Amino acid sequence: MTDISFLTATELAPLIKSKQLSPVELTKHTLSRMDKIDPILHTYITPLYDLALKQAREAEDNIMHGEYKGPLHGVPIGIKDIYYTRGIRTTAGSKLFADFIPDKNATTVDKLLGAGGVMLGKQNMHELAAGSTGTNPFFGTTRNPWNTKYMPGGSSGGGTASLAAGLATLATGSDTFGSIRLPAAMCGVYGLKPTYGLVSTHGIFPSAMSLDTAGPMARSVSDLALMLHYMAGYDSNDPTSLKVPTPNYMKNLNKGINGVKIGIPTYYLQGLDPDVEKLFKHAMTTLQYLGAEIREIVIPELSMSTFAGLLTVTGEASAFHHKWLQTHSDAYSADIRTFFLAGSLTNTSQYVKAQQARRKMVKGIHKAFEDVDIILGPTIPITTPAFKEKWVEQNLEVIRRCLPFTAPVNLTGVPSLSVPMGLDRKGLPVGMQFIGNHLSEKQLLQVGNTWEATEPLRRNLKMTLGDIRQAY
Amino acid sequence: MRYTNCLKQELYLQGLPIYEADIPYIHNILYTINLAQTSTDAFPHLNKEIPITVVDKELML
């Protein structure tokens, strides 16, 4: 029988609904796996063994009494430790908030738990969602389950590593300059950065408020659609929340991509590691074979991504942390502290210029979408690096290389879906991203679903404890 | 050296901590930003664009 640790929520739901699989059995199985593997991988900061079992028992009781809530009912979910959870410490991966216990849930946590999801625990992350390697000197560095000498990516690396290792069925992430998509690419899972404002960020620690986006991460596109169905929607508590109707993301996922016009910006073909370039070329050929029309396009405004991205992220984050940097500077690790302090040394004129650049970039992206349906590029230009001893320098270097590829969608507010593209020569996953126009999540999911059917990793994500120990 | 002292002085004036080991990293980030800013030269009328802002509904009441 297939190991239930690696079934998707879409596969689990009918088993749970028809009472063939008990939510308690599923939760116990996952918790037991966490107990054995997580001391190696460090994907959770605060595992919630008792609470998860309590929620699973409640789900089971409901279902046995004919009160099935829907496809999330009884499904184990990991919550990034940047999402507020009432009565449960929420650290944002930071020593500064090591004892912070919120008195409310993030809106999205309420929505996922209200749909019957079982919260397994609070997941590890790069400190304050401001780094890309998954290094965390305070709560333990998350390791990539494909090879534990390598980084899982960040900042939502706890979530993506847990999905890759079968330590959660679904996970929540947040993406300010790539924090969902970058670790999804490095861990070989799926991650969606939605349109800015589509998913409430109320009750989520801010990083850079004009860029912060919450979104789903999973082992399949259909699971992303399922999560988005519950996570999206207007929230009066979030001033940036969009008041727009949301479609049924789960419907017509198998639409296919015949005739879909995909544009490859020349910008996304520059500076690629050889393995990334090779896999990306192969992916383009495959998409053409599947019926997509591929063409190269030029979006000159993307060249301002590094300037606008770095300026906005460091500037807004340093503004939020300024007081704490003055009074508790030793509570920050060096990579994050230097990143934020640099932001405090930029000036208002530069910040405004960056926001003008963003306006120009939005216009450039909209113009591109007059000719194509989807924009495609590698999620990041590099293959997953092994951890280096000089981790401060390494984090800043990974940001410098990857931010130009991930930040354009944050700067312009459009959605992006990162999918596995293949394995590099070291056997580690590489990702690519489908970028859509504002509120085109449904189309992105349909295209991503077609891509998923090609089995890009050619190897099931069903790592055993032995595999992970061997990699260790 | 002069630039390094300027960085330290700016941090000091804001009441921010000065860790000697941080300075090269801060310098590096600012250098990257300033180098990247040259990309805006290709758009001479950028100053006429309305800056993107987080529009708060309270501004519209």
Side-chain angles (χ1 to χ4, degrees):
Chain A
M1 183 186 167
T2 309
D3 184 347
I4 54 175
S5 310
F6 288 95
L7 290 182
T8 64
T10 312
E11 291 165 334
L12 288 167
L15 299 175
I16 292 172
K17 185 182 180 185
S18 61
K19 300 169 191 167
Q20 291 177 69
L21 178 64
S22 140
V24 174
E25 184 192 333
L26 173 62
T27 301
K28 277 186 177 170
H29 181 85
T30 313
L31 291 173
S32 157
R33 192 173 169 85
M34 279 164 58
D35 212 27
K36 288 175 191 152
I37 300 178
D38 215 43
I40 299 170
L41 297 180
H42 301 291
T43 67
Y44 285 84
I45 290 177
T46 310
L48 298 166
Y49 293 93
D50 293 341
L51 180 68
L53 277 173
K54 182 173 172 278
Q55 290 176 349
R57 284 193 194 99
E58 282 171 11
E60 188 154 312
D61 282 350
N62 288 338
I63 293 163
M64 295 309 282
H65 288 91
E67 295 160 13
Y68 180 67
K69 291 183 178 179
L72 275 189
H73 208 171
V75 171
I77 305 176
I79 302 291
K80 185 176 181 180
D81 208 19
I82 200 169
Y83 287 62
Y84 283 19
T85 41
R86 185 171 43 246
I88 299 162
R89 77 166 177 163
T90 299
T91 69
S94 163
K95 187 181 173 186
L96 198 62
F97 303 110
D99 301 316
F100 173 61
I101 298 177
D103 57 5
K104 65 179 179 189
N105 281 338
T107 299
T108 39
V109 170
D110 271 337
K111 285 182 169 186
L112 292 169
L113 297 185
V118 171
M119 180 162 57
L120 292 170
K122 302 301 294 295
Q123 295 191 311
N124 205 350
M125 53 183 286
H126 201 115
E127 183 182 346
L128 297 165
S132 299
T133 60
T135 311
N136 191 315
F138 306 124
F139 299 104
T141 292
T142 306
R143 296 186 172 272
N144 193 320
W146 291 81
N147 186 328
T148 54
K149 293 183 179 68
Y150 288 75
M151 62 180 61
S155 67
S156 311
T160 55
S162 76
L163 291 167
L167 305 183
T169 305
L170 305 170
T172 61
S174 65
D175 194 316
T176 300
F177 58 98
S179 283
I180 286 176
R181 291 160 290 143
L182 186 150
M186 287 187 176
C187 290
V189 299
Y190 295 80
L192 176 69
K193 180 263 172 215
T195 300
Y196 182 78
L198 181 65
V199 174
S200 169
T201 52
H202 175 68
I204 298 178
F205 271 103
S207 297
M209 290 184 196
S210 75
L211 304 170
D212 293 342
T213 315
M217 308 190 297
R219 285 191 293 264
S220 75
V221 171
S222 58
D223 278 9
L224 293 181
L226 173 62
M227 285 184 83
L228 189 63
H229 175 74
Y230 288 99
M231 292 174 82
Y234 177 67
D235 178 10
S236 59
N237 289 316
D238 176 359
T240 65
S241 183
L242 287 174
K243 210 169 193 172
V244 292
T246 52
N248 184 338
Y249 297 107
M250 298 175 288
K251 203 174 167 190
N252 292 331
L253 270 183
N254 295 321
K255 193 181 173 197
I257 60 168
N258 199 30
V260 172
K261 286 180 266 184
I262 297 179
I264 318 284
T266 48
Y267 174 86
Y268 275 112
L269 298 172
Q270 295 162 18
L272 305 181
D273 279 0
D275 281 14
V276 177
E277 188 175 1
K278 186 178 165 192
L279 287 166
F280 190 61
K281 279 183 180 164
H282 185 258
M284 286 194 283
T285 308
T286 305
L287 287 165
Q288 270 177 321
Y289 175 77
L290 291 169
E293 295 172 21
I294 307 263
R295 68 182 78 158
E296 272 190 28
I297 58 173
V298 178
I299 309 175
E301 294 83 358
L302 291 179
S303 65
M304 295 187 285
S305 299
T306 299
F307 166 65
L310 272 179
L311 210 295
T312 307
V313 171
T314 59
E316 293 186 10
S318 75
F320 182 72
H321 285 274
H322 200 266
K323 190 74 191 169
W324 290 311
L325 283 167
Q326 287 175 323
T327 57
H328 295 83
S329 59
D330 57 349
Y332 293 81
S333 59
D335 57 341
I336 301 306
R337 188 175 59 233
T338 52
F339 200 50
F340 291 177
L341 287 177
S344 70
L345 299 179
T346 58
N347 62 53
T348 317
S349 165
Q350 280 182 305
Y351 181 80
V352 172
K353 193 171 192 178
Q355 306 320 304
Q356 289 171 319
R358 288 175 68 181
R359 177 78 61 191
K360 193 83 180 159
M361 289 174 69
V362 170
K363 288 178 182 175
I365 287 264
H366 281 165
K367 188 162 178 262
F369 281 122
E370 287 173 7
D371 296 326
V372 298
D373 304 308
I374 300 275
I375 291 171
L376 179 69
T379 306
I380 51 174
I382 59 172
T383 56
T384 303
F387 284 116
K388 286 183 182 169
E389 205 173 315
K390 292 183 174 177
W391 56 276
V392 177
E393 202 171 306
Q394 185 175 35
N395 181 38
L396 297 175
E397 176 61 14
V398 171
I399 291 174
R400 193 186 66 77
R401 288 290 308 275
C402 297
L403 177 139
F405 278 60
T406 53
V409 304
N410 304 89
L411 293 164
T412 56
V414 295
S416 170
L417 167 66
S418 180
V419 299
M421 180 162 68
L423 296 174
D424 68 12
R425 274 174 286 186
K426 296 168 290 187
L428 288 153
V430 178
M432 66 178 178
Q433 55 183 332
F434 293 105
I435 299 168
N437 208 342
H438 291 102
L439 297 172
S440 67
E441 281 78 2
K442 190 172 170 79
Q443 186 183 30
L444 286 183
L445 292 165
Q446 287 169 335
V447 170
N449 195 53
T450 304
W451 173 256
E452 183 187 343
T454 67
E455 296 183 34
L457 293 179
R458 311 268 184 248
R459 172 181 157 185
N460 289 332
L461 259 180
K462 290 175 184 168
M463 278 175 267
T464 63
L465 179 56
D467 288 335
I468 291 169
R469 285 218 170 119
Q470 198 173 20
Y472 191 61
Chain B
M1 178 59 86
R2 207 168 121 197
Y3 184 65
T4 300
N5 286 338
C6 280
L7 288 187
K8 288 180 185 173
Q9 194 176 10
E10 282 192 52
L11 290 170
Y12 175 77
L13 288 173
Q14 290 191 47
L16 292 166
I18 300 164
Y19 295 81
E20 282 296 334
D22 286 358
I23 300 298
Y25 297 124
I26 296 172
H27 183 185
N28 190 276
I29 296 164
L30 291 174
Y31 175 75
T32 306
I33 290 174
N34 289 331
L35 192 66
Q37 190 165 340
T38 59
S39 64
T40 62
D41 294 345
F43 304 93
H45 304 300
L46 197 61
N47 60 328
K48 291 180 184 164
E49 297 289 342
I50 298 169
I52 292 271
T53 50
V54 176
V55 178
D56 192 308
K57 57 184 175 249
E58 288 179 21
L59 288 175
M60 294 180 253
L61 290 177

